């Protein structure tokens, strides 16, 4: 499933972070890996959980059959965008941790957001919901771990 890749990446970041942290509790790398992997896992879990709740049809599906009255709660998987949840769930924590690199770090998720809309796989609202979700998870994680990890100088 598509959610599996997001979970896999989150685990690939989180697990080594925990191992490094167990041997060196002051390691910034360990904390950054745990923070980023945790945000990635939580964002993916939330996004794919919401897909089942809303069941929104994709734009190309609606354009194909023209039944715009049944776009929500119709067994679709458009809202929120899983691809955008994946990329924003990865890059927003990195933006928080490494603010000096914010411009280059924003390029990839912005490109993905535009591409998903341009190819009629998502509506703008699908993409914006995923960005908001990743931002909320990152904000909560940053607030909860404020004393444990701070942005790099």
């Amino acid at each position: 499933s598509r959610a599996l890749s997001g979970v896999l990446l989150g685990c690939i970041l989180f697990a080594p972070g925990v191992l490094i942290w167990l041997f060196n509790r002051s390691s910034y790398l360990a904390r950054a890996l745990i923070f980023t992997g945790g945000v990635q896992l939580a964002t993916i879990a939330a996004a794919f959980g919401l897909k089942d709740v809303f069941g929104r049809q994709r734009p190309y599906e609606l354009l194909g059959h023209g039944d715009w009255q049944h776009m929500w709660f119709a067994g679709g998987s458009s809202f929120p965008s899983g691809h955008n949840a994946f990329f924003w769930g990865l890059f927003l924590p990195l933006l928080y941790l490494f603010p000096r690199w914010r411009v280059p770090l924003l390029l990839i998720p912005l490109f993905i957001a535009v591409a998903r809309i341009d190819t009629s796989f998502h509506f703008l609202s699908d993409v914006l919901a995923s960005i908001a979700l990743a931002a909320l998870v990152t904000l909560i994680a940053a607030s909860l771990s404020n004393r444990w990890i701070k942005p790099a100088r």
Side-chain angles (χ1 to χ4, degrees):
S1 111
R2 288 174 285 177
L4 185 60
S5 61
V7 170
L8 184 60
L9 176 63
C11 291
I12 287 170
L13 295 170
F14 192 83
V18 169
L19 288 174
I20 295 168
W21 183 76
L22 288 173
F23 290 103
N24 181 1
R25 304 245 170 160
S26 64
S27 169
Y28 190 80
L29 173 64
R31 292 172 190 221
L33 289 169
I34 292 168
F35 179 80
T36 305
V39 169
Q40 175 75 11
L41 286 167
T43 302
I44 290 296
F48 280 87
L50 289 171
K51 280 181 175 290
D52 293 337
V53 171
F54 290 103
R56 186 181 199 182
Q57 295 287 312
R58 294 184 181 276
Y60 73 85
E61 294 169 325
L62 293 167
L63 291 168
H65 59 67
D67 184 8
W68 289 81
Q69 292 189 355
H70 297 99
M71 72 184 315
W72 292 94
F73 312 107
S77 61
S78 184
F79 184 89
S81 166
H83 282 86
N84 278 281
F86 177 90
F87 284 97
W88 288 92
L90 173 63
F91 283 91
L92 283 179
L94 293 174
L95 284 163
Y96 169 75
L97 293 172
F98 306 103
R100 286 184 49 197
W101 296 96
R102 70 178 162 259
V103 172
L105 286 171
L106 270 174
L107 293 177
I108 293 171
L110 281 173
F111 174 78
I112 299 299
V114 171
R116 299 306 290 171
I117 295 166
D118 184 54
T119 57
S120 293
F121 278 97
H122 289 288
F123 293 99
L124 176 61
S125 57
D126 302 337
V127 168
L128 292 177
S130 292
I131 295 169
L133 180 62
L136 178 64
V137 172
T138 303
L139 181 64
I140 291 169
S143 296
L144 292 175
S145 62
N146 188 25
R147 291 186 174 186
W148 192 67
I149 188 164
K150 298 207 183 276
R153 297 186 198 277

